[in-house]
């Protein structure tokens, strides 16, 4: 297995464990203590910000499921295009009480891995689409 393939496996395990299973124990093994997270939902160092974002989404959509739609990996970078789906039945999501609507959020994450540990993450997501589905922003057109 090439180092690029191994890096992809690390990123897949990271996302599946944290998002789909709510298992944050993997973060101690796969995320550097001072990893930098560049996210529109909050950029922080280390795992705490990431745990907060995932916990918020999992509380708002208890049946949340993340699917990796596409992946590209080369050298120390892994790029995943992903889709999160779930029903908004839980407590507040983005400040909105439960709507009981099926929500879909798409995005893309770039991960930089060094020595088998995630050092840095960049995430871009369809916030306008999510805010429209939640009724915070009126539909366009």
């Amino acid at each position: 297995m090439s180092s690029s393939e191994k890096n992809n496996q690390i990123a897949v395990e990271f996302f599946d464990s944290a998002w789909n299973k709510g298992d944050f124990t993997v973060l101690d093994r796969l995320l550097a203590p001072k990893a930098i997270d560049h996210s529109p939902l909050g950029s922080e160092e280390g795992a705490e910000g990431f745990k907060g974002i995932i916990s918020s989404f999992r509380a708002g959509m208890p049946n949340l499921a993340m699917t990796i739609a596409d992946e590209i990996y080369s050298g120390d970078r892994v790029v995943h295009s992903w889709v999160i789906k779930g029903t908004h039945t839980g407590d507040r999501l983005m400040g909105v009480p439960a709507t009981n609507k099926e929500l879909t959020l798409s995005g893309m994450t770039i991960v930089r891995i060094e020595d088998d540990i995630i050092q840095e993450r960049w995430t871009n997501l369809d916030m306008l689409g999510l805010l429209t589905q939640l009724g915070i922003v009126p539909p366009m057109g």
Side-chain angles (χ1 to χ4, degrees):
M1 174 185 320
S2 73
S3 63
S4 295
E5 290 169 324
K6 185 175 182 182
N7 287 343
N8 186 53
Q9 281 186 336
I10 290 167
V12 168
E13 180 183 1
F14 177 80
F15 287 123
D16 183 54
S17 294
W19 282 100
N20 291 329
K21 298 172 185 161
D23 177 7
F24 295 140
T25 61
V26 73
L27 300 183
D28 295 332
R29 183 170 47 86
L30 298 180
L31 190 65
K34 295 196 178 257
I36 301 168
D37 187 20
H38 307 278
S39 169
L41 298 176
S43 295
E44 292 192 32
E45 195 175 271
E48 290 312 308
F50 189 70
K51 289 177 186 178
I53 291 168
I54 293 174
S55 295
S56 172
F57 274 90
R58 287 183 57 81
M61 298 186 292
N63 66 338
L64 176 149
M66 174 190 255
T67 304
I68 295 173
D70 200 5
E71 54 191 21
I72 301 168
Y73 44 91
S74 179
D76 66 349
R77 307 292 166 127
V78 176
V79 181
H80 284 150
S81 170
W82 46 262
V83 176
I84 292 174
K85 290 186 178 190
T87 308
H88 182 209
T89 58
D91 289 337
R92 297 186 178 273
L93 177 62
M94 308 293 288
V96 177
T99 62
N100 296 311
K101 293 180 183 177
E102 176 78 22
L103 302 178
T104 301
L105 174 63
S106 61
M108 192 171 297
T109 301
I110 302 170
V111 176
R112 183 177 64 80
I113 298 174
E114 183 179 308
D115 298 325
D116 299 335
I117 296 175
I118 297 169
Q119 301 291 331
E120 202 163 5
R121 295 177 55 253
W122 295 265
T123 301
N124 194 353
L125 53 132
D126 179 15
M127 286 299 296
L128 180 58
L130 178 61
L131 296 174
T132 301
Q133 292 173 73
L134 289 170
I136 295 172
V137 174
M140 296 179 68

